[in-house]
Amino acid sequence: MVETPQARPKLRSNLAIGVAQDGKVTVSDPVANRHFLLSTVALTVLEHFDGVRSDEEILSQLVDANLGVSQEGIDLVRTQAATMGLFEDVAAEGAAPAHLRGPTRRNIAFLKIAEVDPSRVVNALRPVGHVLFSIPALVALAGLLVGAGFAISHNATRYIDDLLDFGRIGVWPLVYVCVAAITVLHEFGHALAVARFGGAVHRMGLSLYLLAPAAYADTSDAWRFPRVRQRIVVNLGGLYVEAYVLVAGIFLWAAGVLPDMIGAAVFVSCHVILGRILMNLNPLLRLDGYWLASDALRIPNMRTKAFGILLGTISPFRADRSLARIASSTEERLVLLSYAILSLIWIFGTLALSLFAINSFLEQQIAWRGDIIAKVLMVTLVILLTVSGWKYIRSLRSTYSA
């Protein structure tokens, strides 16, 4: 069959191309709000699909450019691009985006409640974002944190007495509601930071993670920002807003103007917020601290790369050994290998301490039955870890099989 110009694919002109990093570029679809990571070679191939040139002409030009691309490679790129909906008059076939800063939905502990497009609210709050993410606002926050510290020290005796509020059962439902509201504000902090630098957020959701309030925002537009500093501000945007909420709560508690139960809930919530901030800054968890470290070190997909290198280093299978060489340099390989080892130590250490605490509690509260329950929990956890670990290893092999 003779190929006609009309049948030749043409790359869409409205796609946004991000900054090259680690041999990758971000291709954003503004219509479907999808973001894909492609190699610079794949992008070069795609840019040759103009609806006019034939496969033979494209291959000849790529060979002349010394890109080492074969006809099979061109066919593969064309098929993948068609699946992603990157050609004109071709709809996406449901392919998942290559990278999103949202939750890992395959996690059985994650339960989505609702998802909305917050762009209208975020656009309305853009003036707030411009003020909030400014040097004067940052200086003001630093002053407020110092003032909050003085407020706590001035009320040290009452602070010690109010620690008993952690044991009041009626306080915790109010704390749960407060945490849910703060979680939403946290995601709006990320969204406003994206809008501050000209990006957009079209997906935000409310969910439960291990029955705790959780939320997420698709801030993938940040991958298109040319400056690392801008992406770091987006990473810290949620914690930045939480810090403002924290100092407000401390001053309300110190003023002593709230009703007893509400004041107790605010007191406990301030500690929960502080704990959330510290936990989110931990780069060993796939939270804000992880994205901060990834952008600061300029290593996209840092966690996946790290565990891929670890698998390639310790696996007895020859097919896995190539994974040990996916880093761009020896220094990067050492950093990623160290990161993977520390992450595993953190994961298994946290699980061991949690099981020890649960076992001790059950033994004290339920006597001999507590020991049986603890053993059942341990066996269940081992099974879940084994299944999850095997699935993750398969995904690593699939990701870096090329």
Side-chain angles (χ1 to χ4, degrees):
M1 183 178 68
V2 178
E3 183 186 33
T4 63
Q6 289 76 16
R8 295 167 185 167
K10 181 179 180 181
L11 189 66
R12 287 168 49 189
S13 60
N14 63 340
L15 298 175
I17 310 301
V19 181
Q21 299 183 79
D22 191 31
K24 300 281 187 179
V25 292
T26 304
V27 178
S28 300
D29 181 349
V31 177
N33 188 36
R34 293 182 171 213
H35 309 267
F36 305 93
L37 281 179
L38 302 179
S39 68
T40 52
V41 174
L43 179 63
T44 302
V45 174
L46 280 177
E47 290 173 338
H48 281 72
F49 288 103
D50 57 1
V52 176
R53 282 176 279 197
S54 65
D55 280 4
E56 291 77 10
E57 292 172 324
I58 293 175
L59 178 60
S60 175
Q61 292 174 5
L62 292 173
V63 170
D64 291 341
N66 296 320
L67 288 181
V69 179
S70 65
Q71 184 60 54
E72 291 76 12
I74 294 175
D75 293 338
L76 178 60
V77 170
R78 176 169 49 195
T79 301
Q80 292 177 338
T83 301
M84 297 173 184
L86 302 183
F87 292 136
E88 291 187 359
D89 302 321
V90 178
E93 298 177 2
H99 179 76
L100 290 175
R101 295 194 180 203
T104 304
R105 310 214 173 180
R106 294 186 297 271
N107 195 317
I108 60 175
F110 171 80
L111 175 63
K112 185 178 77 171
I113 297 175
E115 186 174 282
V116 298
D117 183 348
S119 54
R120 293 181 62 181
V121 177
V122 173
N123 287 334
L125 294 175
R126 275 180 184 269
V128 176
H130 276 272
V131 173
L132 189 63
F133 294 100
S134 64
I135 298 299
L138 179 61
V139 173
L141 176 60
L144 288 171
L145 286 171
V146 172
F150 279 114
I152 293 173
S153 63
H154 184 71
N155 295 274
T157 302
R158 183 156 70 93
Y159 176 86
I160 295 173
D161 293 338
D162 286 354
L163 290 175
L164 296 174
D165 290 337
F166 281 89
R168 297 173 64 176
I169 296 177
V171 166
W172 286 101
L174 295 175
V175 172
Y176 191 92
V177 173
C178 287
V179 170
I182 293 166
T183 300
V184 174
L185 291 177
H186 177 107
E187 298 307 325
F188 269 103
H190 289 306
L192 288 175
V194 172
R196 173 68 175 81
F197 299 114
V201 174
H202 293 286
R203 292 169 56 198
M204 185 179 289
L206 185 64
S207 61
L208 293 177
Y209 185 73
L210 295 174
L211 301 182
Y216 59 91
D218 177 8
T219 60
S220 300
D221 250 17
W223 284 105
R224 299 195 291 112
F225 296 163
R227 298 178 181 175
V228 173
R229 178 182 63 83
Q230 294 172 333
R231 295 198 295 275
I232 289 176
V233 171
V234 173
N235 295 332
L236 294 175
L239 298 180
Y240 183 66
V241 170
E242 283 199 47
Y244 264 105
V245 175
L246 174 62
V247 295
I250 292 174
F251 285 128
L252 281 173
W253 165 80
V257 296
L258 299 174
D260 178 60
M261 188 62 73
I262 295 178
V266 169
F267 178 79
V268 174
S269 295
C270 286
H271 291 80
V272 174
I273 295 172
L274 180 59
R276 282 164 52 99
I277 291 174
L278 296 176
M279 181 181 68
N280 268 281
L281 287 173
N282 184 353
L284 301 179
L285 298 174
R286 201 170 182 271
L287 299 173
D288 295 339
Y290 163 74
W291 299 113
L292 177 64
S294 177
D295 282 331
L297 294 172
R298 293 176 171 80
I299 306 178
N301 301 320
M302 184 172 72
R303 192 175 186 85
T304 303
K305 274 187 174 182
F307 282 110
I309 290 173
L310 180 62
L311 176 63
T313 302
I314 66 176
S315 175
F317 301 107
R318 178 180 296 179
D320 293 333
R321 293 174 187 170
S322 62
L323 298 179
R325 299 189 294 272
I326 59 178
S328 60
S329 65
T330 302
E331 292 77 11
E332 182 178 295
R333 181 179 180 275
L334 290 175
V335 169
L336 291 174
L337 191 58
S338 301
Y339 176 83
I341 294 172
L342 290 173
S343 294
L344 287 179
I345 293 174
W346 172 268
I347 291 171
F348 287 107
T350 302
L351 290 174
L353 289 174
S354 300
L355 283 174
F356 177 78
I358 292 173
N359 183 57
S360 300
F361 175 79
L362 291 174
E363 285 182 348
Q364 293 176 3
Q365 301 297 323
I366 317 181
W368 65 272
R369 296 177 184 174
D371 184 57
I372 296 176
I373 296 174
K375 289 180 179 179
V376 170
L377 287 174
M378 184 176 297
V379 171
T380 303
L381 182 61
V382 169
I383 294 173
L384 289 175
L385 285 174
T386 302
V387 173
S388 299
W390 173 243
K391 287 183 177 180
Y392 191 64
I393 289 174
R394 290 180 61 185
S395 71
L396 290 174
R397 289 169 173 165
S398 174
T399 299
Y400 295 108
S401 58

